[in-house]
Structure formats: structure tokens, C-alpha cells
Amino acid sequence: MTGTVTVPEAASASASTSTRERPRSFSVTGERTRSSADPLTEDTTADVVVVGAGPGGSALAAHLAGAGMDVVLLEKSAFPRDKVCGDALTPRAVKELGLLGVPTPADEGWHRNRGLRLIGGGHRVEIDWPGGEFPDYGLTKARTGLDETLARFAQARGARLHEQTMATEPLTGADGWITGIRTVARDSRGRRTGAEAVVTAPLVVACDGVSSRTAVSMGREKRDDRPMGVAVRTYHSSPRHADPYLESWVELRAQTEGGLGGGVPGRRTARGRTADGRGTSAQAPGEALPGYGWLFPLGDGTVNVGLGILDTSPQFGTVDYRQVLREWIGAMGHEWEIDETTQLERVRSAALPMGFNRTPHFADGLMLVGDSAGMVSPFNGEGIDYALESARIAADVIVTHQHKPRAAWRRALAEYPAIVRETLGGYVTLGRAFAALIGRPELMGLAIKYGMSVDALMAFAVRLMGNIQGNGRDADLADRVIAALVRAVPKTTND
């Protein structure tokens, strides 16, 4: 599971007309189908039980099954099922898909993007993904398709996937070590059918998201000293559904009597400034919120439209974020030709667990991966890449030590949180500091006003926030500065 990164080829997304229908479910072969993954109704045993078939859980199951381990993968819902998300994968996440071996062709719903367009403070800048150690493109794919694709990939690798199977409680031995999971089958409407079963295994991995019932059942509550965020999103049809850039509006303001307002800023690229004749208009009053609005094109006739806000602002919890979203779309929607008539789904919201906000990441036979471990980035709200990355790290540790005697194997599993902390701990610390700073409206306003006008600074910020700096011979000055910052700060603890 280590070696040269090979990213499967993906053709450019090609849909050229807008449609109000979004593809829902695709297998790894591209056929719209429903593979067999019946609810678990009988007791069974496994080497590892993975609870939750989101990106992290399915990636972990695929890595382990590919290494010859017997893996049971439990998913409480039936595919296809939705998750509140921006549906965007940064080059860091694309790299992880390559390491896993997942193909990403356009005809299976994968849409490429070349970079990020940032808008705010009367400025607009387009910054291409830098390439080097990471692919020079990102991807989007609706979670209704992404999660099922990865789950079927794990199933094809040999993982035993059981949909509509809820993990109800962990089982533990006399020494407190987890020995398995009790489950109950559910019908298509989420109701219990009464069929209970037990999966016995020496290791359980919680990949069951922000609420992580599995972790909570083992006494691992969320930490109040780590940041959290909230995301709200919906989908719109738009003629710009195949735009080559992800778009982020970094100047969101709480609703005021005058609304969000805001104008359409002039346009420039990171390689030089150009005038497009559209000019700027005055910003509306109101304090800047610590977050951003996004428009992420999916290449299938639709655009994922939403916003993410951090809890570090004194306004957190007092603002109607759905109203902020409506006002923001009302102010800028003409650029993408979206309004209330193009909305395809209701607005939904979800919490974003950040900064390792649930710990320890391993103890007593239970590992935490992805959102269940609070691995969403405080910089940009991205969680898929860290779910995939932590899944790979967990799999490497599990497979490397699987043949050791029980006592030695248990001790060796503690390498997982140590590697996660060494790999991501400094970056998480910087993200926590960033979250605290932009929670101060006056600093947020100054950063937007002056930072957005400096091309080199914005290119640096995109690398830092996306955690996509190069290393070794690929590193330039910006990469070396980011690496120095990460080394200089203490690593956020996760034990």
C-alpha cells in the first residue's frame, strides 16, 4: 500500500446542457445498478469490523480486503444515500484515490477542475492547482454516487458489505478491549426489522461520521476545546455546470436590513491581472462571517451551492445560515444563472467536526477514522481527503502487524494515532489558530480587504489551506515556508 502515486486517468467532463436531474448511483464499472449487500441477520466473525461506509470506511475496507484480511463493512442506510457535503475532492484526495486504485472517468460522474476561483473584497483571482507531488487537478462527484462507488469498490476487493445494518453497541471483554459489535437490520425506511446479529472481531474501526455512535458508546465524546463548523448546501441547475474552477466567495456577512448585497468584482488570474469591464460595487454593512460560500460544478448539469461557517465567531448559533445562503444567492446568482426556480433540492445542513475534536484516536481496540475522529480541516472544511488518508494510515498499521501475537499486536496498533499526529498534527494546529483568528470580524475584514489584492499571497493561501505543498525537489519557496510553519508549531494531540 505504499509506493509511487498512480492516479487513474479521467477524461474531461463533457455534459454541455443543463438538466434538472442528477445521476444518483453508479457502480465502479459505470453501470447504474444495485449490487447485493443484504442486511446482516446472522452472527459472524471477522478480522476487522468497519462501522460506516462513507469514504473513510470504504477506503479502509478496500485497503484491508486487498491485503487479504477478512473485513465486515456495516452501513446503516441503503445506497444510494446522500450526505451534506460540497462534493469536492482536492488534489490531496485525488492522490488518495490513486493510491487506492479507484478509476475516475468522466462517464462515471467524475468532473475535473483545474483550480480555485476566490472572490471577495472587490477582487477575483483564479489559482490553478500547483501539481508536483499531488495531481494538478481536483474532482467533484455527488456524494450519492461517490460513497456508493467506493463501497462497491471495497466490496469488489473482497470486503463483506452489509447495508441497512445499524451498529447498536460495542461488545467488550473483561479487560475492556472491544470484541465486536452488536447490530440490528433496518428496512428501506430506516425502521428496525427485529433481526439482530453480532460481529465478533479483535478490532473495530469507527467511520460513522460526526456523531459517531460507536465512539460515544465507548465513552469518547466530542471535545469542546476544538473548533466546529456548520455547512448548509443545496443543488441548482446551471449552464455553468462544467466550469473548470471551483468557486469560493470568502466575504459572507450576517443578514442585515440591507441584506448581503455585494457586487460582482473585477477578474484577474494568479498569473496576471485582466479587466473584464464588470467593475465592483459597494459591500453591504454587517460583520464578516468566518467562512465562505461555494459553487462547485459537477459537470452533469448541476452545481453544488452552499456555505460553511466556523464556530469561532461570536455570531455562531445566532445567525440563520439558510437565510444567509438565500441572500448570498440572491446577490450573486445571476453569474451562474441560478435562483429559486433552479433549486433542485431542499437546503440541508450538517456539523463539521474539526481539529481532532474526538480523541483518543485509538484505545481499547477501537480506532477512529475521518469525521468520527474530527479530521475535517479548519482551513477549508474539507474532510474527504483526511478520511481517505487516515484510512490508508490505519490500514498500513493493521496489515503490517496482523501476524504478531495478540499482546504485541495490540501494542503495535498504537502506531496509528502516532502516525496521524506526526503527519497531520502540525497542520491541524495551524488550522486551529487560523479558525480563532478569522473568528474576529475585524481581522477577517482586513484579511479580505488587503490579502485578496496580492496574487502571490492568495496562491500561498490556497496551498496552505488545501495542504498541497510540495516536498523535496518539487518544493519551491512557498512550499518551504509552509513546511517550516508546520514544523514550528506543536502538534495537536490525539491520544
Side-chain angles (χ1 to χ4, degrees):
M1 284 175 287
T2 59
T4 302
V5 179
T6 303
V7 180
E9 282 298 314
S12 298
S14 58
S16 60
T17 59
S18 178
T19 174
R20 297 186 67 88
E21 295 297 325
R22 268 194 310 123
R24 292 295 177 183
S25 173
F26 294 91
S27 72
V28 289
T29 62
E31 299 175 359
R32 193 179 288 239
T33 184
R34 179 101 158 79
S35 300
S36 174
D38 295 332
L40 183 64
T41 57
E42 297 181 351
D43 294 352
T44 188
T45 61
D47 295 327
V48 181
V49 181
V50 179
V51 180
S58 292
L60 174 61
H63 280 302
L64 294 176
M69 298 192 73
D70 183 14
V71 186
V72 168
L73 176 60
L74 305 176
E75 169 56 43
K76 66 180 181 181
S77 302
F79 290 113
R81 55 103 174 97
D82 196 13
K83 292 289 183 180
V84 176
C85 182
D87 299 335
L89 288 80
T90 66
R92 193 177 185 94
V94 176
K95 176 181 177 179
E96 290 298 326
L97 291 179
L99 291 170
L100 187 56
V102 176
T104 59
D107 60 3
E108 292 182 18
W110 301 93
H111 176 59
R112 281 196 184 193
N113 56 74
R114 59 184 295 181
L116 184 64
R117 181 184 300 117
L118 297 169
I119 299 172
H123 303 283
R124 179 186 305 248
V125 59
E126 291 177 352
I127 300 172
D128 290 352
W129 302 122
E133 181 179 342
F134 297 94
D136 62 357
Y137 65 93
L139 292 167
T140 54
K141 184 178 175 71
R143 288 290 297 271
T144 46
L146 171 68
D147 287 23
E148 181 169 12
T149 295
L150 295 180
R152 301 296 178 220
F153 184 84
Q155 195 176 16
R157 280 276 183 95
R160 290 188 278 156
L161 171 65
H162 293 282
E163 298 175 50
Q164 296 176 236
T165 302
M166 175 178 282
T168 57
E169 63 174 326
L171 306 176
T172 56
D175 59 357
W177 192 273
I178 200 165
T179 60
I181 288 287
R182 190 181 305 279
T183 70
V184 63
R186 311 202 314 172
D187 64 19
S188 59
R189 297 177 63 182
R191 300 172 300 188
R192 297 189 180 199
T193 65
E196 295 187 352
V198 169
V199 186
T200 303
L203 178 64
V204 175
V205 186
C207 304
D208 46 349
V210 57
S211 59
S212 192
R213 292 167 54 101
T214 305
V216 171
S217 296
M218 290 290 286
R220 299 189 206 177
E221 301 287 347
K222 291 181 291 186
R223 299 178 56 146
D224 294 333
D225 61 339
R226 305 289 167 84
M228 284 283 290
V230 63
V232 296
R233 72 100 170 96
T234 185
Y235 293 92
H236 283 260
S237 58
S238 170
R240 290 181 60 186
H241 65 95
D243 193 283
Y245 286 92
L246 303 177
E247 187 165 292
S248 295
W249 290 61
V250 299
E251 191 169 16
L252 293 176
R253 297 180 182 274
Q255 63 254 45
T256 64
E257 184 177 350
L260 280 172
V264 179
R267 182 175 182 272
R268 73 183 194 278
T269 71
R271 296 187 175 90
R273 300 168 184 267
T274 62
D276 60 7
R278 288 185 286 184
T280 63
S281 51
Q283 295 294 331
E287 291 185 337
L289 296 171
Y292 67 95
W294 70 73
L295 299 107
F296 294 164
L298 294 171
D300 64 353
T302 69
V303 177
N304 182 312
V305 184
L307 57 86
I309 305 292
L310 290 166
D311 70 350
T312 53
S313 167
Q315 299 170 340
F316 189 82
T318 66
V319 175
D320 182 347
Y321 298 115
R322 286 177 170 81
Q323 179 63 20
V324 174
L325 179 63
R326 285 191 291 269
E327 292 186 358
W328 173 58
I329 292 174
M332 53 65 61
H334 60 281
E335 287 203 28
W336 289 74
E337 297 184 37
I338 61 174
D339 56 26
E340 65 276 3
T341 67
T342 63
Q343 185 172 327
L344 301 176
E345 297 185 5
R346 65 185 178 90
V347 176
R348 298 180 60 200
S349 63
L352 302 175
M354 300 174 172
F356 295 168
N357 81 332
R358 195 188 304 275
T359 58
H361 285 172
F362 174 73
D364 300 325
L366 178 66
M367 279 185 180
L368 309 184
V369 161
D371 284 11
S372 69
M375 291 188 181
V376 174
S377 168
F379 280 109
N380 61 7
E382 170 62 25
I384 294 176
D385 45 5
Y386 302 105
L388 297 174
E389 188 168 354
S390 60
R392 175 176 52 81
I393 294 171
D396 282 339
V397 172
I398 294 167
V399 171
T400 297
H401 301 293
Q402 63 175 315
H403 298 301
K404 288 185 176 180
R406 188 177 75 164
W409 180 70
R410 287 183 172 186
R411 289 193 299 271
L413 293 177
E415 289 181 9
Y416 167 68
I419 296 172
V420 168
R421 183 171 60 252
E422 181 63 28
T423 304
L424 300 174
Y427 176 76
V428 169
T429 299
L430 290 176
R432 291 168 60 196
F434 170 81
L437 286 173
I438 69 168
R440 299 173 60 181
E442 69 279 9
L443 293 180
M444 183 69 176
L446 288 172
I448 293 170
K449 181 178 180 179
Y450 296 107
M452 285 291 296
S453 64
V454 182
D455 294 334
L457 179 60
M458 297 316 298
F460 175 86
V462 166
R463 292 194 199 185
L464 175 62
M465 291 189 293
N467 201 7
I468 51 174
Q469 68 274 12
N471 293 302
R473 67 179 60 184
D474 290 330
D476 59 16
L477 177 60
D479 296 326
R480 291 192 289 273
V481 170
I482 293 172
L485 289 172
V486 171
R487 289 194 302 269
V489 298
K491 293 177 172 57
T492 295
T493 59
N494 62 345
D495 49 17

